[in-house]
């Protein structure tokens, strides 16, 4: 990382050096006077300050956040300020006579032959036929835009490379998350329990048998077809969680069934979210929070508004999972979730977990 920063700084210095080297007095005008030296020096400082502001402030603040209109507006404002500074420099540090000196090597009129001097006008001092400030302004704006183009192009290349690596890592983490979910929950053991429950309902000729088969079918369809997408409507994720809860309830009788409450309050059912993102927390609550022998409960809440998405899970703690080894396995799933959140919503989410007495609380907030 440090080497990358050093290399980045060296490339920016190279861009500035190459573009401004021809205007440095020792290279362009070895015999320049003090006025011209100050003029060129302050003009170069003006351009370098713009370049630094563009690279360190404007691009990270606007380009990275895809606010292109604000970026162009900021560049235009900086150009105006730079031109004002440029005109101040040329007001106090510019002497046209020193910029365009007389040519001492030209012959005077008394050294020319008579027949030539009669038809040839005498050499005159070099004069500007047009306002010289126009040409100097054009040159300044050209260098301004050239620095803007090269500096921004280089930063965009770095951003594209960073975005590509981030997307690759997101795909990797997404694949890992899906694989972990399939291994830890929708594995043969889970399917066996679900089928056993369905079989028990069938033997009793329960009316719930058909519904249980449909639940399992919908869950498998979601995992096989929807989980492979980059994003899905939040209503599909809600339906999957509801089906998962119903399927888990089949394991219990009326006497030992835990108290499970899932409340939903959303304003946009088509708000897009990564599939199976919330399921890690729900699955973790069922795995470590319910008990067949003691009263237990799970409270799940999902809220969505114009500003953010809030998801919370509060569950009792089962004693059979209250050991270091279980905590270690639970921590791996949570760590994987945090890695995914950092890749998908960098700087736009908050995640908190805390234990209070026999309760375990989890809060996840995603800013839109």
């Amino acid at each position: 990382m440090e080497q990358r920063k050093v290399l980045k700084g060296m490339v920016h210095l190279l861009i500035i050096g190459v573009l401004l080297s021809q205007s440095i007095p020792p290279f362009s005008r070895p015999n320049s006077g003090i006025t011209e030296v100050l003029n060129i020096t302050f003009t170069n400082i003006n351009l370098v300050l713009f370049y630094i502001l563009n690279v360190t402030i404007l691009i990270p603040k606007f380009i990275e956040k895809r606010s292109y209109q604000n970026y162009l507006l900021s560049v235009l404002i900086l150009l105006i300020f730079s031109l004002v500074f440029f005109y101040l420099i040329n007001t106090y540090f510019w002497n046209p006579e020193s910029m365009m000196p007389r040519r001492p090597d030209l012959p005077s009129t008394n050294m020319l032959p008579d027949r030539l001097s009669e038809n040839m006008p005498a050499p005159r001092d070099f004069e500007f036929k047009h306002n010289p400030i126009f040409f100097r302004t054009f040159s300044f704006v050209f260098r301004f835009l050239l620095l803007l183009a090269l500096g921004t192009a280089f930063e965009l290349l770095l951003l594209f490379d960073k975005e590509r690596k981030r997307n690759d890592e997101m795909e990797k983490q997404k694949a890992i998350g899906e694989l972990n979910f399939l291994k830890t929950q929708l594995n043969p053991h889970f399917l066996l329990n679900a089928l056993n429950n369905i079989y028990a309902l069938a033997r009793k000729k329960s009316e719930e048998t058909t519904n249980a088969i449909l639940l399992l079918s919908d869950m498998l369809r979601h995992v096989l077809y929807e989980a492979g997408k980059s994003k899905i409507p939040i209503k599909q994720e809600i339906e999957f969680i509801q089906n998962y809860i119903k399927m888990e309830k089949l394991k219990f009788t009326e006497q030992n069934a835990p108290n499970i409450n899932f409340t939903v309050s959303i304003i946009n059912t088509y708000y897009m979210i990564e599939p199976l993102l919330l399921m890690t927390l729900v699955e973790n609550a069922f795995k470590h929070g319910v008990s067949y022998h003691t009263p237990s409960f799970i409270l799940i809440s999902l809220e969505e508004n114009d500003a953010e998405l809030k998801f919370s899970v509060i569950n009792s703690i089962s004693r059979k999972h209250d050991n270091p080894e279980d905590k270690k396995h639970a921590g791996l799933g949570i760590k994987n979730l945090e890695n995914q959140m950092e890749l998908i919503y960098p700087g736009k989410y908050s995640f908190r977990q805390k234990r209070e007495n026999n309760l375990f609380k989890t809060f996840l907030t995603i800013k839109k």
Side-chain angles (χ1 to χ4, degrees):
M1 183 62 69
E2 291 299 327
Q3 292 180 347
R4 182 183 179 88
K5 290 182 179 180
V6 172
L7 181 61
K8 176 182 175 181
M10 292 177 63
V11 172
H12 283 304
L13 289 176
L14 183 63
I15 293 175
I16 294 173
V18 170
L19 292 181
L20 300 184
S21 61
Q22 297 300 316
S23 62
I24 298 176
F27 296 100
S28 58
R29 297 175 180 270
N31 299 321
S32 302
I34 185 64
T35 302
E36 186 175 1
V37 169
L38 291 175
N39 181 286
I40 296 175
T41 300
F42 285 129
T43 301
N44 287 343
I45 291 175
N46 188 7
L47 291 170
V48 171
L49 285 176
F50 158 74
Y51 187 91
I52 294 174
L53 288 173
N54 179 52
V55 170
T56 60
I57 297 179
L58 298 188
I59 293 178
K61 186 173 182 179
F62 298 118
I63 296 295
E64 291 186 14
K65 297 180 179 179
R66 292 178 171 82
S67 182
Y68 304 116
Q69 292 183 346
N70 290 335
Y71 174 74
L72 293 177
L73 180 62
S74 300
V75 169
L76 180 61
I77 293 174
L78 271 182
L79 175 58
I80 293 174
F81 276 103
S82 295
L83 285 174
V84 171
F85 189 37
F86 173 75
Y87 283 119
L88 290 176
I89 294 171
N90 283 274
T91 299
Y92 296 100
F93 301 101
W94 184 42
N95 184 0
E97 293 183 358
S98 65
M99 296 292 183
M100 300 296 291
R102 296 173 181 269
R103 290 283 304 273
D105 55 325
L106 290 180
S108 59
T109 54
N110 58 5
M111 296 177 61
L112 296 174
D114 293 339
R115 62 186 182 88
L116 291 177
S117 61
E118 293 175 357
N119 301 321
M120 181 182 294
R124 301 166 59 188
D125 299 334
F126 283 99
E127 297 178 355
F128 291 106
K129 295 183 179 180
H130 303 284
N131 187 355
I133 195 65
F134 169 79
F135 296 101
R136 295 176 60 79
T137 303
F138 177 81
S139 174
F140 176 81
V141 173
F142 176 77
R143 286 186 293 165
F144 182 97
L145 296 177
L146 194 58
L147 282 170
L148 171 70
L150 291 177
T152 303
F154 177 64
E155 286 293 322
L156 285 177
L157 288 175
L158 295 179
L159 286 176
F160 290 150
D161 182 64
K162 180 180 178 181
E163 188 70 15
R164 179 186 60 80
K165 291 180 179 179
R166 179 170 170 266
N167 289 335
D168 291 344
E169 187 65 23
M170 284 175 58
E171 290 297 325
K172 179 181 177 181
Q173 290 293 331
K174 184 172 181 290
I176 292 174
E178 293 172 3
L179 181 60
N180 287 340
F181 182 83
L182 290 173
K183 286 182 177 179
T184 58
Q185 191 56 54
L186 291 179
N187 52 25
H189 179 68
F190 168 78
L191 293 175
L192 181 61
N193 286 339
L195 291 174
N196 284 337
N197 290 330
I198 294 173
Y199 174 74
L201 292 173
R203 289 199 62 180
K204 296 177 183 179
K205 297 182 180 181
S206 173
E207 296 179 356
E208 296 296 327
T209 304
T210 303
N211 292 333
I213 295 174
L214 290 176
L215 283 176
L216 182 59
S217 175
D218 289 340
M219 292 179 66
L220 291 176
R221 185 184 301 110
H222 181 89
V223 172
L224 293 175
Y225 299 106
E226 302 300 331
K229 299 178 181 178
S230 59
K231 290 189 176 183
I232 61 172
I234 193 171
K235 68 174 185 176
Q236 292 186 15
E237 188 75 0
I238 293 173
E239 291 173 359
F240 182 78
I241 294 175
Q242 290 172 336
N243 290 338
Y244 179 87
I245 293 173
K246 293 177 183 179
M247 184 63 69
E248 284 289 330
K249 285 183 176 181
L250 294 177
K251 299 178 182 180
F252 301 92
T253 63
E254 293 183 0
Q255 289 74 25
N256 63 3
N259 179 21
I260 303 172
N261 186 19
F262 180 28
T263 60
V264 178
S265 175
I266 59 175
I267 61 174
N268 181 14
T269 58
Y270 289 93
Y271 174 68
M272 305 302 287
I273 189 174
E274 285 65 23
L276 305 180
L277 188 67
L278 306 178
M279 268 305 302
T280 301
L281 301 178
V282 178
E283 184 267 343
N284 191 66
F286 273 96
K287 185 175 181 180
H288 303 282
V290 298
S291 172
Y292 289 92
H293 307 291
T294 59
S296 56
F297 67 90
I298 299 176
L299 305 179
I300 306 171
S301 173
L302 176 62
E303 299 179 23
E304 182 257 343
N305 53 49
D306 293 329
E308 59 190 6
L309 175 73
K310 293 181 178 181
F311 188 70
S312 65
V313 180
I314 301 175
N315 60 270
S316 55
I317 299 176
S318 174
R319 290 185 177 181
K320 68 176 182 176
H321 295 294
D322 194 11
N323 62 74
E325 194 64 26
D326 287 318
K327 292 179 181 178
K328 178 180 178 181
H329 290 296
L332 292 176
I334 298 301
K335 184 64 176 177
N336 180 60
L337 173 65
E338 290 184 287
N339 290 338
Q340 292 185 60
M341 294 298 299
E342 188 62 33
L343 290 169
I344 301 171
Y345 303 104
K348 297 178 63 178
Y349 80 97
S350 66
F351 180 72
R352 296 183 294 111
Q353 286 187 312
K354 61 180 180 179
R355 176 172 179 169
E356 293 181 353
N357 299 323
N358 292 326
L359 300 180
F360 193 78
K361 301 180 180 181
T362 302
F363 303 95
L364 173 64
T365 302
I366 301 174
K367 296 180 180 179
K368 293 185 177 181

